[in-house]
Structures are given as C-alpha cells and as structure tokens.
Amino acid sequence: MKRFILSIAILLGIVFLLLLLIANKLSDITVTGQPEAKIHYENKVIVLLYHDVQEPDAAGMPRLLTVTPNQFDAHLKALKDHGYQIIGMEDYVRFARQGKPVPPNAVVLTFDDGYESFYTRAYPILQKHSVPASNFVIGAPSDTNDPKKGQYLTWSQMRELIRAGHGIYSHTYDSHRMVDTAPKGPQQPALTHPVYLAQMKRAESAEEFRKRILSDLTFMNERLRTELGDRSKLLAFPYGAYDRETLQAADEAGIELLFTTREGINTAADRLVHRIDAGEPYITADALIATISKYHKMNDNNL
C-alpha cells in the first residue's frame, strides 16, 4: 500500500514538473509575440490639434484644416502601433493641475471649432479605437443653429459625446472672429484687439475691451455648465492668438489651462499648453509619427 502511494506521489510530481515547463514555454511565446512597448517619454504629454473631418471636395481636392475619415483612422492606428497612449482631457487636467501621474507616451486628442463632423465622422472612428477626444466649441453657433453659418455641434450631440467619455470645452462664446480695429485698418482677432466702433468713430477703450472679452469668457463658461454640467474650465485661443490682456481676462474667468497653437511637448508646469497640428490633409500617419518623435528624441536619449 505504501509503495502504491509513493508511486502515485512520484507520478503527480512528474506531471507537475511537465505542466510547469509548458507554462514557462507559453510565457516565453507571449513575451516574444507581444514585446513591451518602448517608452518614448514619461511625465510629459503631447497634445494633438485637429479641426474638421471631411472627404475631399467635388473636384477631389483636399480641404485645408481637414483630415479625411480614412486619414484620421490611420492616425489613431499609427499612434497605437508606436506605443502612444491616448488619455482623456480630465486625466490631463489632473496631471497639469494636481500632479497626478499619466502613463508613458501620453497623448491627448483635441479638435477646435465644434464642427458637426466631430459627431458624424470623428466620433465613430474614436469609438472603433476606444479612445477619447475633446472639442473646443464656439458657443454662439450652437445656440443659434443657423445652417448658413456652417454645421456645428448641437447641445444634444455634445451631451451624447460627454456620456461616451469625450470632452467639450470653450473656444469662446462669440470671439472666434476677425474685427475691424480702425476705419481702414486690417482686421484682427476679436479676443486680442479692441474693436473699432464705426458709429462712434473710435476704438473701444481699454476698459471696454477688457469687459467685452471677460464677459465672453465667463458667459461661455456658464453656457457649458448649464448645458453640460460642471467641468474643468479650459480655453483654446481662437486663431491661437493671445496677449497680456487675454491672459488676465482668462485668469479672472477662472480658466485653468489655456490651449495654444504653439507646437511642443507639455510638462505639468505648463499652463499655456502646446499643441501639435495633426489636422491637415498632407499629414499622413507616418508624417504624424515623425513630427511627434522629434519632440521626444532628446527625452529618449536621457532614458
């Protein structure tokens, strides 16, 4: 009886060793088939900038400030294939404002202007890749919903986007426009220049200008809160234009982060956020990866 029990114990031991060898071999296969993603940078975030997602025009010509659906899809695939990790805007805000960690190779996707194509064309592609994006919208077109002024997101569409994990933030209420600054002078961005008041034959005073832009920023914050609920107060500058008065008004409006069109990579110390332009018809997936990589090559050498 004892000899029988001993034989069984030896047999079980041999089976256990065989299973252990098989498990180790499978582990080797898994590691070989799925190599660990390369760390390009840590404790930094790259923010990409898009505007519109459209097919080429009737003549087959690409449209400025647009990518095609296939092009955008290729961008997202390339980012994943090269080890970049797309994070949501609120994760980025916690990184920038509270020092919370972000994954290596972190990327944030942003769109400007609030075009309806973000819902009709970009949204399905974002769902396909299971990644979030954020849109900086202009309030007035969504309130008036005038087709003659273009197709913009509705508040209902924005609410659905938020439920799906995407972000909606401010691109001003009605300051994404060029204004006269003198009777015959050049037009300039409304958020950075006093308007010429033709009926009064003078330009806005410094105080009138300050009140106008502060009123615009605070009203847009309130419209977003009313329609979409509480969220971080963020602003993308129209045309990428800002000056000392704009920064002061944004501070008074309680805006936490300001998004520019200057290219670069961001640390947690950057309140003026750099964004890399990804939204032009000539930017292929390979070109996008090449552009991104130049901002972290120095970081690669330090790892």
Side-chain angles (χ1 to χ4, degrees):
M1 186 65 180
K2 289 182 179 179
R3 186 175 297 174
F4 176 75
I5 294 174
L6 181 60
S7 299
I8 293 296
I10 293 172
L11 181 61
L12 289 174
I14 293 172
V15 170
F16 175 76
L17 288 173
L18 287 172
L19 290 173
L20 186 61
L21 288 171
I22 292 170
N24 286 336
K25 181 60 74 174
L26 288 174
S27 177
D28 291 341
I29 293 171
T30 301
V31 171
T32 302
Q34 297 179 348
E36 184 177 346
K38 180 180 179 181
I39 296 178
H40 303 301
Y41 53 89
E42 294 180 292
N43 300 316
K44 294 181 174 68
V45 178
I46 281 176
V47 182
L48 300 181
L49 169 60
Y50 295 90
H51 283 83
D52 206 357
V53 181
Q54 295 284 352
E55 297 290 356
D57 65 20
M61 296 297 293
R63 306 170 192 264
L64 293 177
L65 296 177
T66 70
V67 291
T68 66
N70 287 341
Q71 185 183 357
F72 184 53
D73 183 80
H75 283 191
L76 298 188
K77 183 179 185 302
L79 289 169
K80 180 179 180 180
D81 289 347
H82 287 81
Y84 295 99
Q85 301 194 61
I86 297 173
I87 64 173
M89 181 61 79
E90 291 299 324
D91 290 325
Y92 176 61
V93 173
R94 285 187 284 271
F95 164 74
R97 300 292 289 166
Q98 303 170 26
K100 299 293 184 181
V102 290
N105 311 334
V107 171
V108 172
L109 305 177
T110 68
F111 285 71
D112 279 4
D113 297 344
Y115 294 122
E116 190 179 35
S117 66
F118 184 67
Y119 179 83
T120 58
R121 296 187 179 91
Y123 180 27
I125 299 169
L126 294 165
Q127 286 181 302
K128 171 185 172 182
H129 291 272
S130 300
V131 296
S134 292
N135 204 308
F136 290 94
V137 304
I138 311 162
S142 292
D143 274 346
T144 57
N145 198 23
D146 184 356
K148 295 179 181 179
K149 296 183 178 180
Q151 299 295 321
Y152 291 89
L153 291 168
T154 67
W155 293 111
S156 177
Q157 289 169 335
M158 287 185 251
R159 283 188 282 272
E160 180 181 339
L161 289 163
I162 287 175
R163 288 193 297 269
H166 304 290
I168 301 292
Y169 302 97
S170 173
H171 204 27
T172 74
Y173 184 77
D174 192 28
S175 291
H176 194 300
R177 54 194 174 92
M178 304 294 281
V179 296
D180 292 327
T181 58
K184 296 182 180 180
Q187 290 194 321
Q188 299 288 354
L191 200 64
T192 54
H193 288 77
V195 174
Y196 181 73
L197 307 172
Q199 291 184 338
M200 304 179 71
K201 297 183 179 179
R202 65 172 179 84
E204 289 176 313
S205 67
E207 181 62 17
E208 288 171 332
F209 169 57
R210 187 192 71 82
K211 287 182 177 179
R212 173 174 61 79
I213 62 175
L214 178 58
S215 175
D216 181 292
L217 298 181
T218 55
F219 184 66
M220 184 56 175
N221 286 344
E222 182 59 24
R223 290 295 296 124
L224 290 171
R225 188 193 67 79
T226 299
E227 294 288 347
L228 308 176
D230 291 328
R231 63 201 50 263
S232 297
K233 294 179 180 178
L234 313 177
L235 171 68
F237 297 118
Y239 313 108
Y242 63 93
D243 56 17
R244 182 173 58 84
E245 287 79 9
T246 312
L247 295 177
Q248 182 178 345
D251 189 58
E252 291 183 47
I255 293 171
E256 302 169 64
L257 294 174
L258 302 159
F259 289 73
T260 73
T261 55
R262 294 182 302 151
E263 296 200 344
I265 191 168
N266 299 284
T267 70
D270 293 312
R271 186 183 179 224
L272 288 169
V273 180
H274 300 83
R275 293 192 290 173
I276 296 173
D277 184 14
E280 294 287 357
Y282 56 81
I283 301 178
T284 64
D286 288 342
L288 175 62
I289 298 302
T291 300
I292 291 174
S293 67
K294 77 178 182 181
Y295 289 107
H296 58 66
K297 280 183 179 178
M298 184 177 297
N299 186 73
D300 282 347
N301 293 333
N302 293 331
L303 291 176

